[in-house]
Amino acid sequence: MPITKVFSTEIERVSILDEHGKFDEKLGKGLIPDADLLRLYESMVACRHLDEVAFRLQRSGRMGTYPQNMGQEANSLGAAYALNKDDWLVPCYRENCGLFWRGVPMELILLHWMGDERGNAIPRELYCTPLAIPIGTQMLHATGLAWASKYRGEKRLACTFFGDGATSEGDFHEACNFAANLEIPVIFFCQNNFWAISVPGKIQCSAPTVAQRAIAYGMKTVQCDGNDLFAVVKCVRDMAAYTRETGKPAFIEGVTYRLGDHTTADDARRYRDAAEVEMWKTRDPITRLKAYMKDRKIWNDSKEGELKEKVEKEIAAAVERAETIAAPTRDDFFNAMYAELPPDLERQRDTMQTHGLGEDPAQLEGAEVRQLDHPEHAH
Amino acid sequence: MANLTLVQAINLALVQEMEKDDRVIILGEDVGPNGGVFRVTEGLHKRFGAHRVVDSPLAESGIIGTSIGLAMAGLRPVPEIQFEGFLGPAYDQLCSHAARMRTRTRGAFTVPMTVRVPVGGGIHAPELHSDSPESIYAHTPGLKVVMPSSPYDAKGLLVASIRDPDPVIFFEPKRIYRAFREEVPEDEYVIPLGQARVVCEGEEMTMVSWGSSVIQCMQAIERTGRNIELIDLRTIYPLDMDAIEASVKKTGRCVIVHEAPKTCGLGAEISARIMERCFLHLEAPVQRVTGFDTIMPYYKLELEYLPDAARIARAIEETAAY
Ligand SMILES: Cc1ncc(C[n+]2csc(CCOP(=O)(O)OP(=O)(O)O)c2C)c(N)n1
């Protein structure tokens, strides 16, 4: 028999609470206790509201470019909930909800998008890495972070998030290959929201699922309904158990949708069908969960009203904290450059305010420098 | 003639070169129906079709690497990289291959591609959207590096770049993408690479700059009211040292202005060349007004980082006082 089959496989898709409100009792029972469910719901609502506020801040010039999380909240939240508090969360930039669950203060995230580097000063004990702009690079860091845990004999794993676009970058493939071959306990979580700015998912991956990319690396993989908090929690929990047990990596494709523009600098109407967006709105993770909780009689309109009020206050307070923190000063961009500022850089810092040349004023001793009308640094 | 922004002038050059030469194709992230994140390729997808204006996967190494192959096979790819900060993944392809192919094959294969990249700060963008890495590429033998400072120049320089037989990195200062308009002829014209432009003539001092810093220099010159000769390099490599030399020999003083960090910035190279060629003509040390040797800060502090008219004017006064 000269031709034999050497490989075939299937990929499972996990859905527990579907978009019609049907709940799979077998998979979902006991997965999330009601008390937790209420807190998770609250967290998603807060995250969504922060998005809306951030959008308005951007439009009124109080914030720079901001990438909305709208519609994708269940993914990073479900993961942060399912993981241990000291597992590494290695986000891209649409994972606010998971970061907030972990304890990252909202004002830090706001500050970051307000163009202030102190917003990325995430406390180390939260085990979250900073937001960084290059697409596709952080999966390698996650692999290294998890590798360090393995090296030290700890059970801490890393879970990294990225979009479907990111799976086109070489670094993604290098991370998968390292993690699989060196058996590193990292979970790769693709938030497949179907678009990378204007480029549709099929230009990033011509296979029917992103999840199957992992198969090429010999990695365990699953697809989940990323707008279903239950499905996300189950998949992350299962994969985390597997990863902790075997030390091997795993891959999750959370199928979701970017309900807003790519960022506030984008206008998705230019390239995206309105009907597609409308269809996805019916699968919104928040409304879906709310309907389920109402069905179960653990939620009602008056609780929703109270929550809305509470969340509005919470976000307004976070915005106020972010906006009232003293502005960064010129020295700030020098100070975190090195453990110890090299003398040359110190000199640049100390002369920049007084001298056009940013150099040693001693050079000019005795020279008569004509004063201009507006010698002060102009903005 | 039309009154165009930098973006429109570049768009016009692309349209005209694509119409003229079907070897010219565009590829990159979001360049298709969306017309690029800065809308520079707006309308081209509709006009020339998806096989000539190609939305690619999100992969800079892929974009540049395949462009190298396309160019080796005789096409004239014009890849777009969204921001200069994302040249990182493409660095290997640019420096290990694009720059070396001609030499490596003793001229049997060449890479006539033009990599279009927005560059520089001043637009309130997130990290890695505001850097000025031109000297990295000018330091890579085999590449040409261009940076226009006006719509008119952008059109003529882009045409020259696309027709150039060697790889060109065409940096577009995004701060002035739409900051002002200028008369730009519809008719074909070419501004040869390697020729600087004297923006204004003067006797008292020479200033050398490129990209959007040229605009800051003009403001600074106005502020001081001094009689200054401003040279816009236009092409960073090949460097038009003859133009600088002639001017510095006339004025005896020189201030160089750029956004990039000071250490190993292009100002260092130009200053050293002036020492070599004009030492006996100098009345003052050559001075530089630059960004600092720090990471370009997030946007709240970017104006503190970028050389602005006030800082440049101070440098002019200090240099004049020698
Ligand atoms: C290396 C790199 N190239 C390009 C960009 C510009 N850019 C920012 S976000 C983005 C799309 C990302 O798409 P995806 O990975 O699917 O994530 P999503 O934003 O859809 O969540 C692009 C092209 C970048 N930040 N980094």
mmCIF file of all heavy atoms in Angstrom, chain A residues 64 114-115 117 120 133 169 197-198 204 270 330 348 355 357 363 368 370 375 378-379, chain B residues 30 34 42 58 60 127 223-224 262 293 297-300 304 308 314 317-318 321-322:
data_model
loop_
_atom_site.group_PDB
_atom_site.id
_atom_site.type_symbol
_atom_site.label_atom_id
_atom_site.label_comp_id
_atom_site.label_asym_id
_atom_site.label_seq_id
_atom_site.Cartn_x
_atom_site.Cartn_y
_atom_site.Cartn_z
ATOM 1 N N GLY A 64 -5.785 60.180 23.445
ATOM 2 C CA GLY A 64 -5.295 59.887 22.095
ATOM 3 C C GLY A 64 -6.061 58.727 21.496
ATOM 4 O O GLY A 64 -7.163 58.387 21.917
ATOM 5 N N MET A 114 -3.888 58.118 27.299
ATOM 6 C CA MET A 114 -3.785 59.583 27.318
ATOM 7 C C MET A 114 -2.359 60.025 27.022
ATOM 8 O O MET A 114 -2.007 61.191 27.201
ATOM 9 C CB MET A 114 -4.213 60.120 28.689
ATOM 10 C CG MET A 114 -5.712 60.081 28.904
ATOM 11 S SD MET A 114 -6.114 60.525 30.618
ATOM 12 C CE MET A 114 -7.910 60.565 30.513
ATOM 13 N N GLY A 115 -1.523 59.078 26.615
ATOM 14 C CA GLY A 115 -0.179 59.454 26.188
ATOM 15 C C GLY A 115 0.795 59.673 27.320
ATOM 16 O O GLY A 115 1.732 60.461 27.196
ATOM 17 N N GLU A 117 3.335 57.686 29.897
ATOM 18 C CA GLU A 117 3.958 56.370 30.072
ATOM 19 C C GLU A 117 3.733 55.769 31.458
ATOM 20 O O GLU A 117 3.844 54.558 31.634
ATOM 21 C CB GLU A 117 5.470 56.365 29.809
ATOM 22 C CG GLU A 117 6.064 57.669 29.429
ATOM 23 C CD GLU A 117 6.899 57.572 28.151
ATOM 24 O OE1 GLU A 117 7.537 56.551 27.958
ATOM 25 O OE2 GLU A 117 6.876 58.534 27.368
ATOM 26 N N ASN A 120 1.660 52.638 32.052
ATOM 27 C CA ASN A 120 2.112 51.261 31.843
ATOM 28 C C ASN A 120 2.910 50.731 33.030
ATOM 29 O O ASN A 120 3.489 49.651 32.951
ATOM 30 C CB ASN A 120 2.944 51.160 30.568
ATOM 31 C CG ASN A 120 2.279 50.264 29.531
ATOM 32 O OD1 ASN A 120 1.410 49.455 29.860
ATOM 33 N ND2 ASN A 120 2.688 50.381 28.296
ATOM 34 N N ILE A 133 2.719 48.147 21.553
ATOM 35 C CA ILE A 133 2.067 48.378 20.273
ATOM 36 C C ILE A 133 2.472 47.414 19.146
ATOM 37 O O ILE A 133 1.653 47.107 18.281
ATOM 38 C CB ILE A 133 2.244 49.860 19.857
ATOM 39 C CG1 ILE A 133 1.550 50.776 20.897
ATOM 40 C CG2 ILE A 133 1.685 50.134 18.484
ATOM 41 C CD1 ILE A 133 0.045 50.604 21.031
ATOM 42 N N GLU A 169 2.117 37.260 11.672
ATOM 43 C CA GLU A 169 3.497 37.697 11.917
ATOM 44 C C GLU A 169 4.401 36.488 12.193
ATOM 45 O O GLU A 169 3.984 35.515 12.833
ATOM 46 C CB GLU A 169 3.557 38.646 13.133
ATOM 47 C CG GLU A 169 2.944 40.017 12.892
ATOM 48 C CD GLU A 169 3.867 40.984 12.146
ATOM 49 O OE1 GLU A 169 4.942 40.572 11.667
ATOM 50 O OE2 GLU A 169 3.483 42.175 12.057
ATOM 51 N N ILE A 197 -7.603 45.839 11.416
ATOM 52 C CA ILE A 197 -8.015 47.111 10.818
ATOM 53 C C ILE A 197 -8.972 46.771 9.664
ATOM 54 O O ILE A 197 -10.012 46.171 9.914
ATOM 55 C CB ILE A 197 -6.831 48.025 10.425
ATOM 56 C CG1 ILE A 197 -5.826 48.135 11.605
ATOM 57 C CG2 ILE A 197 -7.373 49.421 10.076
ATOM 58 C CD1 ILE A 197 -4.735 49.173 11.415
ATOM 59 N N SER A 198 -8.605 47.070 8.421
ATOM 60 C CA SER A 198 -9.578 46.835 7.332
ATOM 61 C C SER A 198 -9.394 45.483 6.660
ATOM 62 O O SER A 198 -10.116 45.146 5.732
ATOM 63 C CB SER A 198 -9.437 47.942 6.278
ATOM 64 O OG SER A 198 -8.281 47.719 5.484
ATOM 65 N N GLN A 204 -5.614 36.768 6.519
ATOM 66 C CA GLN A 204 -4.615 36.344 7.510
ATOM 67 C C GLN A 204 -4.488 34.822 7.552
ATOM 68 O O GLN A 204 -3.430 34.291 7.855
ATOM 69 C CB GLN A 204 -4.974 36.850 8.919
ATOM 70 C CG GLN A 204 -5.383 38.308 9.013
ATOM 71 C CD GLN A 204 -4.271 39.282 8.671
ATOM 72 O OE1 GLN A 204 -3.104 38.908 8.601
ATOM 73 N NE2 GLN A 204 -4.630 40.542 8.454
ATOM 74 N N ARG A 270 -16.024 52.274 6.201
ATOM 75 C CA ARG A 270 -15.376 52.335 4.889
ATOM 76 C C ARG A 270 -15.193 50.964 4.251
ATOM 77 O O ARG A 270 -15.033 50.850 3.051
ATOM 78 C CB ARG A 270 -14.006 52.998 5.009
ATOM 79 C CG ARG A 270 -14.048 54.454 5.367
ATOM 80 C CD ARG A 270 -12.634 54.944 5.662
ATOM 81 N NE ARG A 270 -11.724 54.722 4.559
ATOM 82 C CZ ARG A 270 -11.514 55.590 3.576
ATOM 83 N NH1 ARG A 270 -12.132 56.747 3.584
ATOM 84 N NH2 ARG A 270 -10.678 55.304 2.601
ATOM 85 N N ARG A 330 9.365 67.163 31.744
ATOM 86 C CA ARG A 330 10.374 66.898 30.712
ATOM 87 C C ARG A 330 11.404 65.875 31.167
ATOM 88 O O ARG A 330 11.943 65.133 30.355
ATOM 89 C CB ARG A 330 11.098 68.191 30.362
ATOM 90 C CG ARG A 330 10.212 69.191 29.683
ATOM 91 C CD ARG A 330 10.921 70.531 29.609
ATOM 92 N NE ARG A 330 9.980 71.549 29.162
ATOM 93 C CZ ARG A 330 10.269 72.831 29.128
ATOM 94 N NH1 ARG A 330 11.445 73.256 29.499
ATOM 95 N NH2 ARG A 330 9.363 73.693 28.722
ATOM 96 N N GLN A 348 22.319 65.962 28.737
ATOM 97 C CA GLN A 348 21.238 66.325 27.806
ATOM 98 C C GLN A 348 20.000 66.747 28.585
ATOM 99 O O GLN A 348 19.349 67.729 28.258
ATOM 100 C CB GLN A 348 20.880 65.133 26.898
ATOM 101 C CG GLN A 348 21.872 64.884 25.795
ATOM 102 C CD GLN A 348 21.387 63.860 24.781
ATOM 103 O OE1 GLN A 348 20.196 63.613 24.638
ATOM 104 N NE2 GLN A 348 22.320 63.270 24.062
ATOM 105 N N HIS A 355 19.115 75.500 26.901
ATOM 106 C CA HIS A 355 19.937 75.692 25.724
ATOM 107 C C HIS A 355 19.364 75.077 24.484
ATOM 108 O O HIS A 355 18.956 73.929 24.484
ATOM 109 C CB HIS A 355 21.335 75.115 25.968
ATOM 110 C CG HIS A 355 22.237 76.144 26.546
ATOM 111 N ND1 HIS A 355 23.116 76.845 25.781
ATOM 112 C CD2 HIS A 355 22.330 76.631 27.794
ATOM 113 C CE1 HIS A 355 23.733 77.725 26.545
ATOM 114 N NE2 HIS A 355 23.271 77.610 27.781
ATOM 115 N N LEU A 357 20.928 74.089 22.044
ATOM 116 C CA LEU A 357 21.786 73.026 21.548
ATOM 117 C C LEU A 357 21.766 71.815 22.467
ATOM 118 O O LEU A 357 22.322 70.781 22.150
ATOM 119 C CB LEU A 357 23.208 73.533 21.382
ATOM 120 C CG LEU A 357 23.275 74.776 20.487
ATOM 121 C CD1 LEU A 357 24.668 75.374 20.509
ATOM 122 C CD2 LEU A 357 22.892 74.423 19.066
ATOM 123 N N GLN A 363 30.530 76.079 26.957
ATOM 124 C CA GLN A 363 31.095 76.341 25.650
ATOM 125 C C GLN A 363 30.841 77.779 25.197
ATOM 126 O O GLN A 363 31.578 78.334 24.406
ATOM 127 C CB GLN A 363 30.434 75.389 24.659
ATOM 128 C CG GLN A 363 31.430 74.623 23.805
ATOM 129 C CD GLN A 363 30.745 73.948 22.638
ATOM 130 O OE1 GLN A 363 31.071 74.201 21.520
ATOM 131 N NE2 GLN A 363 29.788 73.097 22.927
ATOM 132 N N GLU A 368 27.935 86.684 23.652
ATOM 133 C CA GLU A 368 26.699 87.411 23.883
ATOM 134 C C GLU A 368 25.592 86.813 23.035
ATOM 135 O O GLU A 368 25.618 86.902 21.810
ATOM 136 C CB GLU A 368 26.878 88.885 23.530
ATOM 137 C CG GLU A 368 27.147 89.703 24.778
ATOM 138 C CD GLU A 368 27.175 91.174 24.469
ATOM 139 O OE1 GLU A 368 26.228 91.671 23.822
ATOM 140 O OE2 GLU A 368 28.172 91.810 24.879
ATOM 141 N N ARG A 370 21.940 86.859 21.785
ATOM 142 C CA ARG A 370 20.801 87.770 21.673
ATOM 143 C C ARG A 370 19.539 87.080 22.202
ATOM 144 O O ARG A 370 19.250 85.944 21.874
ATOM 145 C CB ARG A 370 20.606 88.120 20.196
ATOM 146 C CG ARG A 370 19.642 89.263 19.948
ATOM 147 C CD ARG A 370 19.707 89.672 18.484
ATOM 148 N NE ARG A 370 19.358 88.540 17.626
ATOM 149 C CZ ARG A 370 18.506 88.643 16.590
ATOM 150 N NH1 ARG A 370 17.929 89.784 16.300
ATOM 151 N NH2 ARG A 370 18.247 87.594 15.830
ATOM 152 N N PRO A 375 11.750 83.456 24.262
ATOM 153 C CA PRO A 375 12.819 82.489 24.460
ATOM 154 C C PRO A 375 12.328 81.198 25.101
ATOM 155 O O PRO A 375 12.969 80.176 25.011
ATOM 156 C CB PRO A 375 13.801 83.217 25.381
ATOM 157 C CG PRO A 375 12.986 84.244 26.081
ATOM 158 C CD PRO A 375 11.828 84.581 25.199
ATOM 159 N N ALA A 378 8.124 76.848 23.403
ATOM 160 C CA ALA A 378 6.746 77.077 22.946
ATOM 161 C C ALA A 378 6.001 75.766 22.756
ATOM 162 O O ALA A 378 6.591 74.736 22.484
ATOM 163 C CB ALA A 378 6.782 77.831 21.625
ATOM 164 N N HIS A 379 4.701 75.839 22.948
ATOM 165 C CA HIS A 379 3.916 74.617 22.713
ATOM 166 C C HIS A 379 2.925 74.824 21.594
ATOM 167 O O HIS A 379 2.174 75.741 21.608
ATOM 168 C CB HIS A 379 3.154 74.215 23.981
ATOM 169 C CG HIS A 379 4.089 73.689 25.019
ATOM 170 N ND1 HIS A 379 4.493 72.372 25.076
ATOM 171 C CD2 HIS A 379 4.767 74.326 25.990
ATOM 172 C CE1 HIS A 379 5.333 72.225 26.068
ATOM 173 N NE2 HIS A 379 5.522 73.381 26.638
ATOM 174 N N ASP B 30 -3.838 47.090 4.780
ATOM 175 C CA ASP B 30 -4.889 48.099 4.664
ATOM 176 C C ASP B 30 -4.750 49.055 3.476
ATOM 177 O O ASP B 30 -5.431 50.069 3.422
ATOM 178 C CB ASP B 30 -5.015 48.919 5.962
ATOM 179 C CG ASP B 30 -5.275 48.037 7.177
ATOM 180 O OD1 ASP B 30 -6.429 47.632 7.361
ATOM 181 O OD2 ASP B 30 -4.340 47.726 7.932
ATOM 182 N N ASN B 34 -9.497 50.260 1.930
ATOM 183 C CA ASN B 34 -9.417 51.302 2.953
ATOM 184 C C ASN B 34 -8.482 52.442 2.557
ATOM 185 O O ASN B 34 -8.479 53.492 3.168
ATOM 186 C CB ASN B 34 -8.957 50.691 4.283
ATOM 187 C CG ASN B 34 -9.301 51.561 5.471
ATOM 188 O OD1 ASN B 34 -10.345 52.193 5.495
ATOM 189 N ND2 ASN B 34 -8.421 51.613 6.443
ATOM 190 N N GLU B 42 -5.671 55.945 -1.253
ATOM 191 C CA GLU B 42 -7.113 56.071 -1.473
ATOM 192 C C GLU B 42 -7.465 56.052 -2.975
ATOM 193 O O GLU B 42 -6.833 56.730 -3.781
ATOM 194 C CB GLU B 42 -7.576 57.398 -0.868
ATOM 195 C CG GLU B 42 -9.033 57.698 -1.092
ATOM 196 C CD GLU B 42 -9.708 58.134 0.192
ATOM 197 O OE1 GLU B 42 -9.234 59.096 0.830
ATOM 198 O OE2 GLU B 42 -10.702 57.492 0.558
ATOM 199 N N LEU B 58 -0.889 40.695 7.837
ATOM 200 C CA LEU B 58 -0.218 41.599 8.775
ATOM 201 C C LEU B 58 1.176 41.030 9.075
ATOM 202 O O LEU B 58 1.353 40.273 10.035
ATOM 203 C CB LEU B 58 -1.051 41.686 10.059
ATOM 204 C CG LEU B 58 -0.899 42.870 11.003
ATOM 205 C CD1 LEU B 58 -1.885 42.741 12.154
ATOM 206 C CD2 LEU B 58 0.487 43.060 11.527
ATOM 207 N N GLU B 60 5.213 42.365 8.256
ATOM 208 C CA GLU B 60 6.120 43.282 7.569
ATOM 209 C C GLU B 60 7.255 42.543 6.878
ATOM 210 O O GLU B 60 7.679 42.909 5.789
ATOM 211 C CB GLU B 60 6.671 44.316 8.544
ATOM 212 C CG GLU B 60 5.641 45.324 9.027
ATOM 213 C CD GLU B 60 4.642 44.780 10.036
ATOM 214 O OE1 GLU B 60 4.873 43.666 10.566
ATOM 215 O OE2 GLU B 60 3.620 45.448 10.293
ATOM 216 N N GLU B 127 2.881 54.777 21.199
ATOM 217 C CA GLU B 127 4.303 54.465 21.065
ATOM 218 C C GLU B 127 4.605 53.800 19.719
ATOM 219 O O GLU B 127 3.723 53.199 19.102
ATOM 220 C CB GLU B 127 4.747 53.517 22.197
ATOM 221 C CG GLU B 127 4.159 52.120 22.083
ATOM 222 C CD GLU B 127 5.016 51.028 22.756
ATOM 223 O OE1 GLU B 127 6.096 51.316 23.258
ATOM 224 O OE2 GLU B 127 4.578 49.870 22.748
ATOM 225 N N ARG B 223 11.597 83.723 13.132
ATOM 226 C CA ARG B 223 11.601 84.252 14.489
ATOM 227 C C ARG B 223 12.865 85.065 14.786
ATOM 228 O O ARG B 223 12.819 86.093 15.441
ATOM 229 C CB ARG B 223 11.500 83.070 15.454
ATOM 230 C CG ARG B 223 11.276 83.430 16.879
ATOM 231 C CD ARG B 223 11.211 82.182 17.708
ATOM 232 N NE ARG B 223 9.894 81.553 17.618
ATOM 233 C CZ ARG B 223 9.222 81.107 18.679
ATOM 234 N NH1 ARG B 223 9.742 81.225 19.880
ATOM 235 N NH2 ARG B 223 8.057 80.558 18.537
ATOM 236 N N THR B 224 14.022 84.583 14.290
ATOM 237 C CA THR B 224 15.265 85.301 14.584
ATOM 238 C C THR B 224 15.446 86.501 13.657
ATOM 239 O O THR B 224 16.211 87.413 13.960
ATOM 240 C CB THR B 224 16.494 84.392 14.406
ATOM 241 O OG1 THR B 224 16.535 83.956 13.036
ATOM 242 C CG2 THR B 224 16.427 83.194 15.319
ATOM 243 N N LYS B 262 20.254 62.175 19.144
ATOM 244 C CA LYS B 262 21.500 62.834 18.747
ATOM 245 C C LYS B 262 22.597 61.833 18.405
ATOM 246 O O LYS B 262 23.246 61.940 17.369
ATOM 247 C CB LYS B 262 21.946 63.733 19.907
ATOM 248 C CG LYS B 262 23.116 64.623 19.565
ATOM 249 C CD LYS B 262 23.320 65.656 20.669
ATOM 250 C CE LYS B 262 23.548 67.022 20.049
ATOM 251 N NZ LYS B 262 23.503 68.084 21.044
ATOM 252 N N ASP B 293 18.671 61.398 23.373
ATOM 253 C CA ASP B 293 19.055 59.978 23.336
ATOM 254 C C ASP B 293 18.165 59.170 24.266
ATOM 255 O O ASP B 293 18.627 58.441 25.143
ATOM 256 C CB ASP B 293 20.527 59.829 23.729
ATOM 257 C CG ASP B 293 21.438 60.403 22.670
ATOM 258 O OD1 ASP B 293 20.975 60.597 21.531
ATOM 259 O OD2 ASP B 293 22.619 60.668 22.968
ATOM 260 N N PRO B 297 9.132 59.822 23.747
ATOM 261 C CA PRO B 297 8.109 59.644 24.793
ATOM 262 C C PRO B 297 6.694 59.506 24.218
ATOM 263 O O PRO B 297 6.453 59.902 23.085
ATOM 264 C CB PRO B 297 8.229 60.927 25.608
ATOM 265 C CG PRO B 297 8.888 61.914 24.730
ATOM 266 C CD PRO B 297 9.735 61.165 23.751
ATOM 267 N N TYR B 298 5.790 58.956 25.026
ATOM 268 C CA TYR B 298 4.375 58.965 24.663
ATOM 269 C C TYR B 298 3.981 60.420 24.400
ATOM 270 O O TYR B 298 4.634 61.349 24.835
ATOM 271 C CB TYR B 298 3.517 58.429 25.810
ATOM 272 C CG TYR B 298 3.546 56.933 26.032
ATOM 273 C CD1 TYR B 298 4.486 56.123 25.416
ATOM 274 C CD2 TYR B 298 2.634 56.346 26.886
ATOM 275 C CE1 TYR B 298 4.501 54.751 25.648
ATOM 276 C CE2 TYR B 298 2.640 54.976 27.119
ATOM 277 C CZ TYR B 298 3.579 54.184 26.505
ATOM 278 O OH TYR B 298 3.585 52.848 26.753
ATOM 279 N N TYR B 299 2.823 60.597 23.787
ATOM 280 C CA TYR B 299 2.579 61.894 23.162
ATOM 281 C C TYR B 299 2.448 63.070 24.119
ATOM 282 O O TYR B 299 2.636 64.213 23.724
ATOM 283 C CB TYR B 299 1.386 61.811 22.214
ATOM 284 C CG TYR B 299 0.034 61.723 22.856
ATOM 285 C CD1 TYR B 299 -0.563 62.835 23.413
ATOM 286 C CD2 TYR B 299 -0.654 60.509 22.883
ATOM 287 C CE1 TYR B 299 -1.816 62.745 23.997
ATOM 288 C CE2 TYR B 299 -1.901 60.417 23.453
ATOM 289 C CZ TYR B 299 -2.470 61.537 24.015
ATOM 290 O OH TYR B 299 -3.695 61.448 24.589
ATOM 291 N N LYS B 300 2.150 62.824 25.396
ATOM 292 C CA LYS B 300 2.039 63.976 26.307
ATOM 293 C C LYS B 300 3.327 64.778 26.362
ATOM 294 O O LYS B 300 3.320 65.963 26.683
ATOM 295 C CB LYS B 300 1.678 63.511 27.718
ATOM 296 C CG LYS B 300 0.191 63.594 27.967
ATOM 297 C CD LYS B 300 -0.186 63.459 29.416
ATOM 298 C CE LYS B 300 -1.707 63.444 29.520
ATOM 299 N NZ LYS B 300 -2.195 62.865 30.755
ATOM 300 N N GLU B 304 8.002 68.160 23.928
ATOM 301 C CA GLU B 304 9.210 68.469 24.696
ATOM 302 C C GLU B 304 10.423 67.816 24.030
ATOM 303 O O GLU B 304 11.550 68.245 24.200
ATOM 304 C CB GLU B 304 9.096 67.930 26.127
ATOM 305 C CG GLU B 304 7.833 68.310 26.862
ATOM 306 C CD GLU B 304 7.819 69.766 27.256
ATOM 307 O OE1 GLU B 304 8.895 70.396 27.265
ATOM 308 O OE2 GLU B 304 6.724 70.292 27.545
ATOM 309 N N ASP B 308 11.679 72.240 18.338
ATOM 310 C CA ASP B 308 10.657 73.164 17.830
ATOM 311 C C ASP B 308 11.303 74.509 17.513
ATOM 312 O O ASP B 308 12.499 74.709 17.733
ATOM 313 C CB ASP B 308 9.512 73.307 18.836
ATOM 314 C CG ASP B 308 9.966 73.916 20.150
ATOM 315 O OD1 ASP B 308 11.167 74.249 20.263
ATOM 316 O OD2 ASP B 308 9.135 74.045 21.058
ATOM 317 N N ARG B 314 16.902 79.416 19.499
ATOM 318 C CA ARG B 314 17.941 79.602 20.519
ATOM 319 C C ARG B 314 19.291 79.116 20.004
ATOM 320 O O ARG B 314 20.320 79.738 20.212
ATOM 321 C CB ARG B 314 17.548 78.845 21.789
ATOM 322 C CG ARG B 314 16.849 79.734 22.786
ATOM 323 C CD ARG B 314 16.886 79.200 24.206
ATOM 324 N NE ARG B 314 16.624 77.780 24.333
ATOM 325 C CZ ARG B 314 15.463 77.256 24.752
ATOM 326 N NH1 ARG B 314 14.461 78.051 25.060
ATOM 327 N NH2 ARG B 314 15.320 75.969 24.874
ATOM 328 N N GLU B 317 20.803 81.582 17.658
ATOM 329 C CA GLU B 317 21.407 82.721 18.368
ATOM 330 C C GLU B 317 22.732 82.316 19.006
ATOM 331 O O GLU B 317 23.702 83.069 18.981
ATOM 332 C CB GLU B 317 20.442 83.259 19.421
ATOM 333 C CG GLU B 317 19.220 83.973 18.843
ATOM 334 C CD GLU B 317 19.603 85.130 17.924
ATOM 335 O OE1 GLU B 317 20.675 85.745 18.123
ATOM 336 O OE2 GLU B 317 18.833 85.408 16.981
ATOM 337 N N GLU B 318 22.749 81.152 19.587
ATOM 338 C CA GLU B 318 23.982 80.707 20.243
ATOM 339 C C GLU B 318 25.108 80.529 19.228
ATOM 340 O O GLU B 318 26.255 80.890 19.479
ATOM 341 C CB GLU B 318 23.713 79.402 21.013
ATOM 342 C CG GLU B 318 22.886 79.645 22.282
ATOM 343 C CD GLU B 318 22.391 78.359 22.941
ATOM 344 O OE1 GLU B 318 22.825 77.272 22.544
ATOM 345 O OE2 GLU B 318 21.554 78.483 23.856
ATOM 346 N N ALA B 321 26.464 83.815 17.989
ATOM 347 C CA ALA B 321 27.208 84.586 18.991
ATOM 348 C C ALA B 321 28.682 84.205 19.067
ATOM 349 O O ALA B 321 29.451 84.853 19.763
ATOM 350 C CB ALA B 321 26.547 84.416 20.359
ATOM 351 N N TYR B 322 29.069 83.179 18.417
ATOM 352 C CA TYR B 322 30.487 82.777 18.470
ATOM 353 C C TYR B 322 31.378 83.810 17.834
ATOM 354 O O TYR B 322 31.079 84.314 16.760
ATOM 355 C CB TYR B 322 30.684 81.446 17.738
ATOM 356 C CG TYR B 322 30.617 80.287 18.689
ATOM 357 C CD1 TYR B 322 29.419 79.634 18.911
ATOM 358 C CD2 TYR B 322 31.747 79.882 19.373
ATOM 359 C CE1 TYR B 322 29.345 78.578 19.784
ATOM 360 C CE2 TYR B 322 31.672 78.820 20.261
ATOM 361 C CZ TYR B 322 30.469 78.174 20.462
ATOM 362 O OH TYR B 322 30.402 77.137 21.336
#
